[in-house]
Amino acid sequence: MSKESIVVTVDLEGKVEVSAEGYKGKGCTEATKFIEDALGISDGKRTKKPEWYAHETVKQQQRT
C-alpha cells in the first residue's frame, strides 16, 4: 500500500513547484488542483510523471 502526499517546493527565486507522490492517473491532478488554485499557479503548465499515465485500480463488486 503506497502513501499519498503532496509536496510544495519554493526555491530561492520564489518559483513554486507542486508535486503529487503516490498517486496514479488523474488522481494527482485532482489532488493538487486546490493548492495550485490557492497559490495562483494554475496556468496549465504541468510536467506529467510516468505515474500519471498509469491506470488507476478501481474495485467493483456486484451482488446478486
Side-chain angles (χ1 to χ4, degrees), residues 2-63:
S2 66
K3 290 192 173 190
E4 298 169 340
S5 61
I6 299 171
V7 178
V8 179
T9 307
V10 182
D11 68 12
L12 294 174
E13 297 174 358
K15 181 181 175 187
V16 179
E17 181 179 300
V18 180
S19 177
E21 306 292 333
Y23 290 86
K24 289 185 181 179
K26 295 181 181 179
C28 59
T29 305
E30 295 168 1
T32 59
K33 182 171 178 13
F34 77 97
I35 293 175
E36 293 169 345
D37 290 344
L39 295 174
I41 57 173
S42 297
D43 56 6
K45 295 180 183 176
R46 288 193 172 98
T47 303
K48 296 176 183 161
K49 297 179 183 179
E51 292 87 355
W52 193 89
Y53 299 99
H55 295 285
E56 295 178 75
T57 303
V58 178
K59 290 185 179 183
Q60 293 183 345
Q61 188 176 38
Q62 181 177 0
R63 296 182 183 184

